[in-house]
Amino acid sequence: MLLHQIRDSIENGYPKDTENYIQQALKEGYPIKRILEESMVPAMQKIGDLYRSADTFIPQILASARSMRKGLDALSPYLEKETDPSLAPIATVIVGTVAGDLHDIGKNLVAIMFRCAGFQIIDLGVDVSSKVFLKTIKEHPEVSLVCISTLLTTSMPQMKQLVKSIRHAFPGRPLKIMVGGAPVTQEFADEIGADGYTENAVDAARLARTFFTS
Ligand code: B12
């Protein structure tokens, strides 16, 4: 019931309701992963599909995006509690949306699923230049995975260039690179030399674990 209410409040764009329902669900002991996988991710996927079929207008999308952000903010403090500080992180991961692209909902979901799975996250935000990606990788030798997101076909060349620049700048470093976002495909990921691609955030965290735990 609560999971449905969270989902509806995101789809209908009521941020306050999303926040309240999520807080209630957390108090009642729903695991974060379940809230994400069963209500938040499907809600945003539905909004995306409606947008594609021209049934949803920009104000409604923005309201849903605001609900999603409120929901993720409400989850954050609980995420800290669920993570055991005595356990070393599986790996440190940089996440960011490529230059020219301001979409961050999918990227934020990827970051939160990775944190749930035991990774340490450095979130660079949106519209991140290659320069900032490279500088951050250089300044953080503990980083062993870079996750790049894009929602715009016009930003896909930047993604390709970024993967190339990372490989070129850190030739001997065992860095894995994952790419994703709605227009990205496995074929494109292979073509640009990324180590991994998945269609959604849940599978992304699962795939990343296989890089470091097998
Ligand atoms: C919400 C939205 C917006 C919001 C963004 C709010 C925000 N804070 O992010 C607003 C209204 C601001 C917006 C703006 C624009 N948008 Co917009 N937007 C969307 C919409 C409807 C949903 C995107 C979304 O959040 N989906 C839900 C999330 C959960 O899915 P996701 O991002 O794909 O992420 C999942 C997976 O892809 C994966 N994933 C994501 N990143 C990564 C990374 C890695 C490493 C991995 C492994 C996996 C992974 O995991 C995620 C969770 O499961 C899409 C339509 C669609 N069907 O995608 C259009 C869409 C992306 N937008 C589009 C456009 C054109 C724009 C604008 C240019 C519109 C304009 N004329 O101004 C601007 C762009 C401005 C800019 N410079 O970035 C187009 C892009 C077309 C194209 N081919 O490039 C789309 C496809 C709509 C369309 N059909 O025309 N948009």
Side-chain angles (χ1 to χ4, degrees):
M1 184 63 183
L2 260 176
L3 294 178
H4 276 115
Q5 284 167 315
I6 294 169
R7 190 174 167 162
D8 286 348
S9 69
I10 294 172
E11 286 176 14
N12 297 321
Y14 295 120
K16 196 71 211 158
D17 287 356
T18 306
E19 185 180 24
N20 290 340
Y21 290 136
I22 286 182
Q23 274 165 354
Q24 205 177 323
L26 289 165
K27 271 192 207 119
E28 289 185 20
Y30 282 83
I32 292 179
K33 266 186 91 173
R34 214 178 140 202
I35 298 173
L36 281 163
E37 287 179 23
E38 291 180 33
S39 52
M40 297 175 83
V41 172
M44 276 320 293
Q45 244 132 27
K46 181 161 174 209
I47 291 293
D49 293 344
L50 288 174
Y51 189 103
R52 234 190 307 257
S53 61
D55 281 343
T56 306
F57 300 107
I58 293 288
Q60 190 181 336
I61 290 172
L62 284 173
S64 292
R66 266 196 294 274
S67 297
M68 192 71 186
R69 181 166 288 283
K70 268 274 177 217
L72 291 176
D73 287 349
L75 285 180
S76 280
Y78 286 81
L79 204 57
E80 311 286 314
K81 275 185 219 158
E82 274 193 17
T83 319
D84 182 347
S86 66
L87 291 176
I90 297 175
T92 302
V93 184
I94 289 178
V95 297
T97 304
V98 291
D101 188 345
L102 302 173
H103 294 85
D104 69 354
I105 297 170
K107 185 267 298 167
N108 291 345
L109 283 173
V110 169
I112 211 157
M113 290 312 301
F114 271 69
R115 285 174 72 189
C116 284
F119 290 89
Q120 172 115 16
I121 295 294
I122 300 174
D123 189 343
L124 299 179
V126 295
D127 191 16
V128 186
S129 66
S130 289
K131 207 173 153 192
V132 170
F133 269 106
L134 296 176
K135 185 170 173 273
T136 315
I137 297 169
K138 192 172 174 201
E139 286 172 359
H140 291 271
E142 75 279 18
V143 166
S144 45
L145 172 63
V146 182
C147 284
I148 315 164
S149 179
T150 190
L151 268 282
L152 298 175
T153 45
T154 47
S155 293
M156 289 169 81
Q158 270 93 307
M159 187 176 246
K160 180 178 180 174
Q161 186 53 47
L162 177 56
V163 173
K164 204 172 157 192
S165 304
I166 295 173
R167 299 287 189 217
H168 181 75
F170 305 99
R173 196 160 146 186
L175 267 178
K176 297 280 186 194
I177 303 177
M178 287 176 69
V179 292
V184 180
T185 60
Q186 183 65 58
E187 289 70 37
F188 179 72
D190 293 341
E191 182 199 316
I192 67 173
D195 299 294
Y197 156 82
T198 63
E199 212 178 291
N200 62 62
V202 178
D203 291 341
R206 281 198 195 117
L207 176 64
R209 279 187 81 100
T210 66
F211 292 151
F212 304 102
T213 55
S214 59

